[in-house]
Amino acid sequence: MQYRTLGSSGTVVSTFALGTMTFGAEATEESSHAILDSYFDAGGNFIDTADVYSAGVSEEIIGRWLGKRPEARDAAVIATKGRFPMGTGPNDVGTSRRRLTRALDDSLRRLGVEQIDLYQLHAWDPITPLEETLRFLDDAVSRGKIAYYGFSNFLGWQLTKAVHLARAHGWSPAVTLQPQYSLLVRDIEAEIVPAALDAGIGLLPWSPLGGGWLSGKYKRDQAPQGATRLGENPERGMEAWKARNDHPGTWQVIGAVEEIAAARGVSSSQVALAWLVDRPAVTSVILGARSTEQLADNLAAADLHLSPDEAGHLTQVSQPRTGVYPYGPMAQEQRSRRMEGGR
């Protein structure tokens, strides 16, 4: 396992984090604890969860595991999130001071810890004034309830606004952003990645295998079946079967990944993860696993380093379509400048 600092902070985390959205849903408590054991035994130290994962059960499962392994409790860097509904009322959702005060206390209780290392806003809240939310987070840092805070699913302008608003008020700065990012979803490179680099924000990519597509488990024009996410629900979320199957770029990328995997004698998942972990601004890639076997295969990517030619090939075949403006090549040239002068 390799390690990096958590964004611009001094805390050190493993380059592969353990995502726990499956805990209490696709993974039982027993299997979840086995996954946690395997992850820490492999050198991982960064656990990511959220209050809405299985309606709080994921946090509870982690809390009971931490209670059984005091050495892991001391070593673990725990990240969770708040923002999405945990009830049916109008104040059971969002990032208001009222909502986050209760959400944070509930997460601390479920996890069985006195401080959460990284508390993240799960998404932008268009209703709550950003000043209110950032002041709450600064207060939470001052009171020792959280060590750091970050964001998830923010756009570039939202991230930049939050960073500079906190800076203007002298509040604690954000250290991370958790976006969807993979060889199949690279649109964040247009605005979000540059904003993160400018602010010194570390990226924590989620869905690094594109919902399982980059693992090679799905085949072209063969509807998924069986015990896979799309086999159980072909219309699942952003990785829904039909839209991605119909897009020719999907299979171009998967084919390139499989070609490199075969030549290296490794899995497709390892190749996709090895490409992502070395992208600019990435701090730690979040792995989701249903089993210890799946986790072990993914963690083997820590020992895989792609050659410049391999990485360049994957970058080229997965290049997102940007249109002419504002992200096309000519538009990018308008924003560039050569040291020696001229266009």
Side-chain angles (χ1 to χ4, degrees):
M1 190 69 71
Q2 298 176 359
Y3 303 89
R4 295 173 183 165
T5 57
L6 186 64
S8 57
S9 81
T11 293
V12 175
V13 296
S14 47
T15 53
F16 289 102
L18 181 62
T20 62
M21 189 171 67
T22 60
F23 289 10
E26 300 168 43
T28 65
E29 180 156 345
E30 181 181 7
S31 60
S32 297
H33 283 189
I35 290 169
L36 284 161
D37 287 337
S38 296
Y39 174 70
F40 267 77
D41 291 345
N45 74 337
F46 191 18
I47 302 172
D48 179 75
T49 187
D51 56 2
V52 293
Y53 293 170
S54 301
V57 174
S58 175
E59 291 181 326
E60 292 173 348
I61 288 174
I62 295 167
R64 287 190 283 271
W65 180 80
L66 292 172
K68 294 195 304 183
R69 289 195 59 170
E71 77 286 359
R73 180 170 182 163
D74 291 339
V77 178
I78 305 295
T80 192
K81 313 177 198 72
R83 192 283 195 192
F84 290 130
M86 288 293 284
T88 59
N91 289 309
D92 294 329
V93 61
T95 63
S96 68
R97 176 177 288 273
R98 181 183 188 277
R99 161 73 176 116
L100 290 182
T101 296
R102 300 181 183 189
L104 176 55
D105 286 345
D106 287 344
S107 288
L108 287 164
R109 173 181 52 80
R110 286 189 290 262
L111 289 164
V113 297
E114 295 181 353
Q115 183 185 73
I116 288 169
D117 298 300
L118 177 65
Y119 193 67
Q120 302 159 101
L121 305 181
H122 213 153
W124 176 262
D125 181 352
I127 294 177
T128 302
L130 189 55
E131 291 87 346
E132 177 180 341
T133 302
L134 294 177
R135 183 58 189 270
F136 166 82
L137 294 168
D138 181 67
D139 287 345
V141 171
S142 298
R143 293 171 183 170
K145 288 190 171 185
I146 65 175
Y148 309 103
Y149 72 88
F151 309 118
S152 181
N153 303 311
F154 271 37
L155 298 175
W157 72 266
Q158 294 166 348
L159 176 65
T160 299
K161 180 177 181 179
V163 165
H164 285 280
L165 188 59
R167 189 175 298 169
H169 286 278
W171 295 332
S172 299
V175 297
T176 57
L177 172 69
Q178 191 173 139
Q180 183 178 183
Y181 193 17
S182 73
L183 278 164
L184 292 176
V185 181
R186 292 181 53 194
D187 300 79
I188 70 166
E189 293 175 0
E191 292 277 1
I192 296 172
V193 172
L197 288 168
D198 179 66
I201 296 287
L203 298 181
L204 309 175
W206 60 267
S207 195
L209 296 177
W213 284 82
L214 292 168
S215 71
K217 70 172 96 176
Y218 303 127
K219 303 302 178 185
R220 192 167 196 168
D221 299 328
Q222 296 180 22
Q225 297 178 349
T228 64
R229 291 182 179 179
L230 291 185
E232 295 164 355
N233 180 12
E235 301 306 315
R236 177 188 170 92
M238 300 179 189
E239 64 264 19
W241 162 254
K242 188 176 188 310
R244 278 202 174 156
N245 178 63
D246 290 347
H247 195 297
T250 297
W251 300 105
Q252 184 178 13
V253 172
I254 291 174
V257 170
E258 290 177 339
E259 181 181 347
I260 293 173
R264 285 293 201 102
V266 298
S267 71
S268 292
S269 296
Q270 291 168 28
V271 171
L273 293 171
W275 176 86
L276 182 58
V277 77
D278 286 334
R279 299 299 292 170
V282 171
T283 284
S284 186
V285 173
I286 299 173
L287 305 177
R290 290 187 175 194
S291 66
T292 55
E293 293 78 15
Q294 188 180 62
L295 176 65
D297 179 77
N298 289 348
L299 287 177
D303 296 323
L304 178 64
H305 298 281
L306 302 179
S307 70
D309 286 345
E310 290 170 331
H313 178 54
L314 291 174
T315 301
Q316 190 275 325
V317 299
S318 65
Q319 194 70 34
R321 297 181 181 180
T322 56
V324 175
Y325 188 89
Y327 303 125
M330 293 181 66
Q332 292 182 40
E333 184 181 354
Q334 289 177 336
R335 296 188 292 272
S336 67
R337 175 186 171 186
R338 295 185 298 177
M339 189 68 71
E340 62 272 23
R343 293 182 62 86

